[in-house]
Amino acid sequence: MELQPWMVLIVSMIVFGIGLLGVMIRKNLLIMLMCIELMLNGVNLSFVAFSKIHHLIEGDLTVLFVMTVAAAESAVGLGLVIALFRTLRTADSDQIQMLRD
Amino acid sequence: MNLSLFAFSIFSTIAVVGSLLVVLRRNPVGSAFALVLVFFSFAGIYAVMGAHLIAALQILVYTGAIMVLFVFVIMLLNQDVPIHDLEENSALFKGVVGLAVLGLVFILIKTVLRARDLVPTGELSDEKIEAMGGNVRVISESLFSDHAFHFELTSFLILGAIVATVALAKRKSALGGNS
């Protein structure tokens, strides 16, 4: 039995789902950012699998661009977490409620 | 069962278990190290699939750059203590969210399994890529000819990210030192 691209697609979907679950049930901002990275990685894997299925190279190229966006996103996101921590002394997303009251 | 399928099953098991650990660990440092494990096993899956450039970049960019940033911020914020945010949510909420995500993943997998009988539309099959000089060469030639504009656009994105990060870091002086 050979390695088929659809097996890779199943793994990518499972990892994406776990990342989504983490973003929704965790409240710590750092772990939420890590779960976003998990989701991005799952999508990257499906891009590579689809470019293998379709015999195209554009999927691999898209992964390069997604990696650039992910690096920029995590740099800015972690900067925001640090700025929030300076103001609120916490990294809990439930404590961010300045606009609520 | 050949070697690539064997390697893929090991890497994917590590990836799924590691990503569950990322979500369920109390300590952010534990989550970060589980995430490193996931990134490495993803690089292994890319290598098994023949996407060698992506595998190398996965290790360089994710494990080398992004994870260092995460661990550095954990250290900076003194977050290396157990966090009990998972218990604060009610069991009902967690159950509903878990079931919804499970259903979503089930639908996604069911949709994706139709990819088994897709007919390839492109012409770059594995043998063709091998004949054209390998995966890295084909990606580079496409990136610097057909997609050169998008490649240049990413430099603007990175420039914007640099400006945003510096603006966030220098927040104190910009706002007149009120924080």
Side-chain angles (χ1 to χ4, degrees):
Chain A
M1 197 174 172
E2 285 277 311
L3 171 62
Q4 301 292 329
W6 58 266
M7 306 173 185
V8 182
L9 281 173
I10 291 178
V11 175
S12 83
M13 293 305 151
I14 292 173
V15 172
F16 178 84
I18 294 172
L20 184 63
L21 183 74
V23 171
M24 289 169 91
I25 66 172
R26 292 302 292 250
K27 288 179 178 172
N28 187 278
L29 284 171
L30 284 168
I31 294 177
M32 285 168 83
L33 275 175
M34 286 184 205
C35 292
I36 292 175
E37 297 295 332
L38 268 185
M39 292 168 74
L40 281 167
N41 266 277
V43 174
N44 275 352
L45 196 56
S46 72
F47 268 127
V48 174
F50 273 121
S51 83
K52 213 172 169 56
I53 290 173
H54 284 292
H55 289 180
L56 290 169
I57 206 70
E58 269 72 20
D60 288 24
L61 279 171
T62 316
V63 173
L64 296 185
F65 293 126
V66 172
M67 274 184 185
T68 321
V69 175
E73 170 248 279
S74 66
V76 176
L78 288 170
L80 277 172
V81 171
I82 290 178
L84 264 172
F85 192 83
R86 263 201 224 143
T87 332
L88 297 174
R89 295 275 135 208
T90 176
D92 194 330
S93 64
D94 264 12
Q95 303 295 317
I96 311 168
Q97 46 186 0
M98 276 106 83
L99 281 177
R100 205 188 288 166
D101 28 60
Chain B
M1 200 182 206
N2 62 356
L3 190 63
S4 64
L5 189 63
F6 178 68
F8 167 72
S9 45
I10 287 180
F11 283 133
S12 54
T13 314
I14 297 174
V16 171
V17 172
S19 40
L20 277 175
L21 279 178
V22 172
V23 174
L24 297 177
R25 291 288 289 198
R26 298 268 177 277
N27 196 322
V29 179
S31 290
F33 278 97
L35 197 56
V36 172
L37 207 64
V38 176
F39 287 161
F40 266 114
S41 50
F42 265 58
I45 295 177
Y46 291 139
V48 167
M49 290 181 76
H52 304 121
L53 182 68
I54 310 283
L57 282 176
Q58 170 86 8
I59 291 183
L60 281 179
V61 175
Y62 275 109
T63 326
I66 296 183
M67 282 324 293
V68 169
L69 213 60
F70 268 106
V71 175
F72 194 74
V73 171
I74 290 171
M75 182 205 77
L76 208 64
L77 301 186
N78 283 324
Q79 291 282 302
D80 53 346
V81 287
I83 295 170
H84 298 282
D85 59 342
L86 209 54
E87 287 90 352
E88 286 172 20
N89 285 318
S90 67
L92 180 71
F93 175 73
K94 279 185 284 192
V96 168
V97 168
L99 276 180
V101 170
L102 206 65
L104 178 72
V105 169
F106 183 70
I107 294 170
L108 282 174
I109 287 176
K110 231 178 148 228
T111 316
V112 134
L113 279 182
R114 290 203 310 234
R116 271 182 300 187
D117 30 65
L118 273 177
V119 185
T121 49
E123 51 200 20
L124 289 168
S125 62
D126 287 355
E127 296 77 29
K128 187 95 181 292
I129 288 177
E130 207 58 54
M132 282 168 77
N135 180 273
V136 181
R137 182 180 208 120
V138 175
I139 290 183
S140 319
E141 276 170 1
S142 178
L143 181 65
F144 292 117
S145 58
D146 302 336
H147 300 273
F149 180 63
H150 308 102
F151 178 71
E152 296 296 335
L153 276 183
T154 56
S155 64
F156 281 101
L157 177 79
I158 293 175
L159 185 67
I162 292 172
V163 172
T165 315
V166 171
L168 280 170
K170 285 189 76 73
R171 195 167 154 271
K172 203 188 272 181
S173 56
L175 287 181
N178 61 347
S179 58

